[in-house]
Amino acid sequence: MEEHRRHTPHLTPARSRDGADLRPFAAAPAGFGGERWEAGELRLVRSVPPVPGVPGERPRYETVRAWALGR
């Protein structure tokens, strides 16, 4: 990385650009039972921030690596 700060790996389950309180959304799944499902792949994704000052610029997401999940 060419940035001055050290990268800290993390998981971002929710994000708000306008400072919205996402705690209710984070707490909502607590009692969720849901249906069983199976993932076929796990992906490590890198987010590339938008270029500052460019109107309409949005973050990009790139798959760094993918692992097939199987039985």
Side-chain angles (χ1 to χ4, degrees), residues 1-37:
M1 294 181 56
E2 298 175 13
E3 296 182 27
H4 65 280
R5 61 188 174 154
R6 186 170 181 262
H7 176 70
T8 303
H10 64 282
L11 175 63
T12 306
R15 180 176 161 186
S16 170
R17 296 186 191 287
D18 60 6
D21 182 6
L22 299 176
R23 286 178 290 187
F25 298 102
F32 180 70
E35 295 181 28
R36 183 180 172 102
W37 59 275

Side-chain angles (χ1 to χ4, degrees), residues 9-70:
H10 64 282
L11 175 63
T12 306
R15 180 176 161 186
S16 170
R17 296 186 191 287
D18 60 6
D21 182 6
L22 299 176
R23 286 178 290 187
F25 298 102
F32 180 70
E35 295 181 28
R36 183 180 172 102
W37 59 275
E38 188 172 311
E41 184 177 65
L42 173 67
R43 289 182 179 216
L44 176 62
V45 177
R46 169 185 19 232
S47 58
V48 180
V51 176
V54 177
E57 183 75 5
R58 300 187 52 95
R60 293 188 328 272
Y61 302 96
E62 303 170 350
T63 298
V64 175
R65 188 157 177 206
W67 297 269
L69 302 174

